[in-house]
Amino acid sequence: QVQVVESGGGLVQAGGSLRLSCAASGSIFSLNRMSWYRQAPGKQRELVAAITSGGSTSYADSVKGRFTISRDNAKNTVYLQMNSLKAEDTAVYYCNLFSLLRKSEYWGRGTQVTVSS
């Protein structure tokens, strides 16, 4: 049983910052990839950022330079530092854990980020 839980969302003004956290619990293998996705109303879910257990990161072009993903492997926790937030960043942000060894995927239930302009 694996569970991922997001936290840290909220309401922020444009130009502000938020830090999202995603804590994974249960039978977590060390070799994994954790990602942040987001979904705005009426739109498809999109990949925002990803980080491997080795620390390699990738970002969507829309957030590159503003968002930073990091992780604490000991805590099985991933973070998304969001700076210079824009109204178009408003969405529900979901955490995803993909186990490379188990080849299974787990999703959190999301945390709402609302950016007012």
PDB file of all heavy atoms in Angstrom, residues 38 40 43 46 62 66 85-91 93 115 117:
ATOM      1  N   ARG A  38      -0.416  19.334 -12.981  1.00  0.00           N
ATOM      2  CA  ARG A  38      -1.466  20.262 -12.624  1.00  0.00           C
ATOM      3  C   ARG A  38      -2.591  20.179 -13.632  1.00  0.00           C
ATOM      4  O   ARG A  38      -2.389  19.816 -14.788  1.00  0.00           O
ATOM      5  CB  ARG A  38      -0.947  21.698 -12.526  1.00  0.00           C
ATOM      6  CG  ARG A  38      -0.507  22.315 -13.846  1.00  0.00           C
ATOM      7  CD  ARG A  38       0.105  23.685 -13.598  1.00  0.00           C
ATOM      8  NE  ARG A  38       0.518  24.335 -14.837  1.00  0.00           N
ATOM      9  CZ  ARG A  38       1.197  25.475 -14.885  1.00  0.00           C
ATOM     10  NH1 ARG A  38       1.541  26.093 -13.755  1.00  0.00           N
ATOM     11  NH2 ARG A  38       1.528  26.001 -16.065  1.00  0.00           N
ATOM     12  N   ALA A  40      -6.001  22.544 -14.661  1.00  0.00           N
ATOM     13  CA  ALA A  40      -6.901  23.677 -14.527  1.00  0.00           C
ATOM     14  C   ALA A  40      -8.298  23.261 -14.970  1.00  0.00           C
ATOM     15  O   ALA A  40      -8.453  22.310 -15.745  1.00  0.00           O
ATOM     16  CB  ALA A  40      -6.403  24.853 -15.355  1.00  0.00           C
ATOM     17  N   LYS A  43      -9.341  21.799 -18.539  1.00  0.00           N
ATOM     18  CA  LYS A  43      -8.134  21.474 -19.275  1.00  0.00           C
ATOM     19  C   LYS A  43      -7.586  20.125 -18.845  1.00  0.00           C
ATOM     20  O   LYS A  43      -7.926  19.604 -17.790  1.00  0.00           O
ATOM     21  CB  LYS A  43      -7.068  22.553 -19.074  1.00  0.00           C
ATOM     22  CG  LYS A  43      -7.451  23.912 -19.623  1.00  0.00           C
ATOM     23  CD  LYS A  43      -6.309  24.896 -19.512  1.00  0.00           C
ATOM     24  CE  LYS A  43      -6.668  26.236 -20.128  1.00  0.00           C
ATOM     25  NZ  LYS A  43      -5.539  27.203 -20.033  1.00  0.00           N
ATOM     26  N   GLU A  46      -1.402  18.263 -17.006  1.00  0.00           N
ATOM     27  CA  GLU A  46      -0.121  18.428 -17.660  1.00  0.00           C
ATOM     28  C   GLU A  46       1.021  18.255 -16.667  1.00  0.00           C
ATOM     29  O   GLU A  46       0.895  18.568 -15.484  1.00  0.00           O
ATOM     30  CB  GLU A  46      -0.016  19.803 -18.326  1.00  0.00           C
ATOM     31  CG  GLU A  46      -0.068  20.971 -17.354  1.00  0.00           C
ATOM     32  CD  GLU A  46       0.154  22.320 -18.010  1.00  0.00           C
ATOM     33  OE1 GLU A  46       0.636  22.341 -19.174  1.00  0.00           O
ATOM     34  OE2 GLU A  46      -0.149  23.353 -17.380  1.00  0.00           O
ATOM     35  N   SER A  62       6.695  26.291 -19.467  1.00  0.00           N
ATOM     36  CA  SER A  62       5.904  27.357 -18.885  1.00  0.00           C
ATOM     37  C   SER A  62       6.315  27.721 -17.462  1.00  0.00           C
ATOM     38  O   SER A  62       5.984  28.804 -16.979  1.00  0.00           O
ATOM     39  CB  SER A  62       4.415  26.986 -18.909  1.00  0.00           C
ATOM     40  OG  SER A  62       4.185  25.795 -18.186  1.00  0.00           O
ATOM     41  N   ARG A  66      11.027  29.561 -12.898  1.00  0.00           N
ATOM     42  CA  ARG A  66      10.186  30.037 -11.806  1.00  0.00           C
ATOM     43  C   ARG A  66       9.953  28.972 -10.743  1.00  0.00           C
ATOM     44  O   ARG A  66       9.860  29.294  -9.561  1.00  0.00           O
ATOM     45  CB  ARG A  66       8.829  30.506 -12.340  1.00  0.00           C
ATOM     46  CG  ARG A  66       8.924  31.659 -13.328  1.00  0.00           C
ATOM     47  CD  ARG A  66       7.541  32.202 -13.673  1.00  0.00           C
ATOM     48  NE  ARG A  66       6.714  31.194 -14.343  1.00  0.00           N
ATOM     49  CZ  ARG A  66       5.547  30.749 -13.876  1.00  0.00           C
ATOM     50  NH1 ARG A  66       5.061  31.223 -12.736  1.00  0.00           N
ATOM     51  NH2 ARG A  66       4.860  29.845 -14.558  1.00  0.00           N
ATOM     52  N   LEU A  85       4.573  33.598  -9.262  1.00  0.00           N
ATOM     53  CA  LEU A  85       3.355  32.933  -9.704  1.00  0.00           C
ATOM     54  C   LEU A  85       2.504  33.848 -10.573  1.00  0.00           C
ATOM     55  O   LEU A  85       2.424  35.054 -10.352  1.00  0.00           O
ATOM     56  CB  LEU A  85       2.559  32.445  -8.504  1.00  0.00           C
ATOM     57  CG  LEU A  85       3.107  31.171  -7.853  1.00  0.00           C
ATOM     58  CD1 LEU A  85       2.547  30.997  -6.456  1.00  0.00           C
ATOM     59  CD2 LEU A  85       2.769  29.964  -8.728  1.00  0.00           C
ATOM     60  N   LYS A  86       1.872  33.226 -11.541  1.00  0.00           N
ATOM     61  CA  LYS A  86       0.993  33.913 -12.470  1.00  0.00           C
ATOM     62  C   LYS A  86      -0.415  33.354 -12.347  1.00  0.00           C
ATOM     63  O   LYS A  86      -0.616  32.243 -11.861  1.00  0.00           O
ATOM     64  CB  LYS A  86       1.490  33.738 -13.909  1.00  0.00           C
ATOM     65  CG  LYS A  86       2.925  34.148 -14.145  1.00  0.00           C
ATOM     66  CD  LYS A  86       3.350  33.798 -15.566  1.00  0.00           C
ATOM     67  CE  LYS A  86       4.794  34.175 -15.820  1.00  0.00           C
ATOM     68  NZ  LYS A  86       5.220  33.806 -17.204  1.00  0.00           N
ATOM     69  N   ALA A  87      -1.367  34.116 -12.821  1.00  0.00           N
ATOM     70  CA  ALA A  87      -2.753  33.670 -12.765  1.00  0.00           C
ATOM     71  C   ALA A  87      -2.936  32.352 -13.502  1.00  0.00           C
ATOM     72  O   ALA A  87      -3.738  31.508 -13.081  1.00  0.00           O
ATOM     73  CB  ALA A  87      -3.676  34.736 -13.350  1.00  0.00           C
ATOM     74  N   GLU A  88      -2.205  32.161 -14.583  1.00  0.00           N
ATOM     75  CA  GLU A  88      -2.329  30.933 -15.346  1.00  0.00           C
ATOM     76  C   GLU A  88      -1.752  29.715 -14.647  1.00  0.00           C
ATOM     77  O   GLU A  88      -1.896  28.594 -15.132  1.00  0.00           O
ATOM     78  CB  GLU A  88      -1.689  31.086 -16.735  1.00  0.00           C
ATOM     79  CG  GLU A  88      -0.283  31.652 -16.705  1.00  0.00           C
ATOM     80  CD  GLU A  88      -0.246  33.146 -16.956  1.00  0.00           C
ATOM     81  OE1 GLU A  88      -1.087  33.868 -16.377  1.00  0.00           O
ATOM     82  OE2 GLU A  88       0.619  33.597 -17.739  1.00  0.00           O
ATOM     83  N   ASP A  89      -1.102  29.926 -13.520  1.00  0.00           N
ATOM     84  CA  ASP A  89      -0.639  28.804 -12.715  1.00  0.00           C
ATOM     85  C   ASP A  89      -1.749  28.215 -11.854  1.00  0.00           C
ATOM     86  O   ASP A  89      -1.550  27.174 -11.218  1.00  0.00           O
ATOM     87  CB  ASP A  89       0.522  29.228 -11.812  1.00  0.00           C
ATOM     88  CG  ASP A  89       1.767  29.604 -12.597  1.00  0.00           C
ATOM     89  OD1 ASP A  89       2.082  28.913 -13.583  1.00  0.00           O
ATOM     90  OD2 ASP A  89       2.429  30.594 -12.209  1.00  0.00           O
ATOM     91  N   THR A  90      -2.870  28.880 -11.814  1.00  0.00           N
ATOM     92  CA  THR A  90      -3.997  28.399 -11.026  1.00  0.00           C
ATOM     93  C   THR A  90      -4.436  27.028 -11.517  1.00  0.00           C
ATOM     94  O   THR A  90      -4.736  26.839 -12.695  1.00  0.00           O
ATOM     95  CB  THR A  90      -5.170  29.384 -11.103  1.00  0.00           C
ATOM     96  OG1 THR A  90      -4.788  30.624 -10.507  1.00  0.00           O
ATOM     97  CG2 THR A  90      -6.385  28.833 -10.376  1.00  0.00           C
ATOM     98  N   ALA A  91      -4.459  26.079 -10.614  1.00  0.00           N
ATOM     99  CA  ALA A  91      -4.809  24.708 -10.965  1.00  0.00           C
ATOM    100  C   ALA A  91      -4.790  23.858  -9.707  1.00  0.00           C
ATOM    101  O   ALA A  91      -4.344  24.300  -8.645  1.00  0.00           O
ATOM    102  CB  ALA A  91      -3.823  24.135 -11.994  1.00  0.00           C
ATOM    103  N   TYR A  93      -2.860  20.912  -8.206  1.00  0.00           N
ATOM    104  CA  TYR A  93      -1.559  20.305  -8.400  1.00  0.00           C
ATOM    105  C   TYR A  93      -1.536  18.913  -7.793  1.00  0.00           C
ATOM    106  O   TYR A  93      -1.886  18.732  -6.623  1.00  0.00           O
ATOM    107  CB  TYR A  93      -0.461  21.177  -7.782  1.00  0.00           C
ATOM    108  CG  TYR A  93      -0.151  22.392  -8.617  1.00  0.00           C
ATOM    109  CD1 TYR A  93      -1.061  23.440  -8.711  1.00  0.00           C
ATOM    110  CD2 TYR A  93       1.038  22.487  -9.339  1.00  0.00           C
ATOM    111  CE1 TYR A  93      -0.791  24.547  -9.503  1.00  0.00           C
ATOM    112  CE2 TYR A  93       1.315  23.591 -10.122  1.00  0.00           C
ATOM    113  CZ  TYR A  93       0.396  24.613 -10.204  1.00  0.00           C
ATOM    114  OH  TYR A  93       0.671  25.717 -10.986  1.00  0.00           O
ATOM    115  N   VAL A 115      -4.024  31.644  -7.914  1.00  0.00           N
ATOM    116  CA  VAL A 115      -3.227  32.851  -8.037  1.00  0.00           C
ATOM    117  C   VAL A 115      -4.138  33.969  -8.519  1.00  0.00           C
ATOM    118  O   VAL A 115      -4.721  33.880  -9.604  1.00  0.00           O
ATOM    119  CB  VAL A 115      -2.054  32.670  -9.003  1.00  0.00           C
ATOM    120  CG1 VAL A 115      -1.199  33.927  -9.033  1.00  0.00           C
ATOM    121  CG2 VAL A 115      -1.220  31.464  -8.602  1.00  0.00           C
ATOM    122  N   SER A 117      -4.853  37.795  -9.787  1.00  0.00           N
ATOM    123  CA  SER A 117      -4.168  38.826 -10.545  1.00  0.00           C
ATOM    124  C   SER A 117      -4.808  40.187 -10.337  1.00  0.00           C
ATOM    125  O   SER A 117      -5.884  40.310  -9.752  1.00  0.00           O
ATOM    126  CB  SER A 117      -4.160  38.487 -12.032  1.00  0.00           C
ATOM    127  OG  SER A 117      -5.473  38.396 -12.543  1.00  0.00           O
TER     128      SER A 117
END
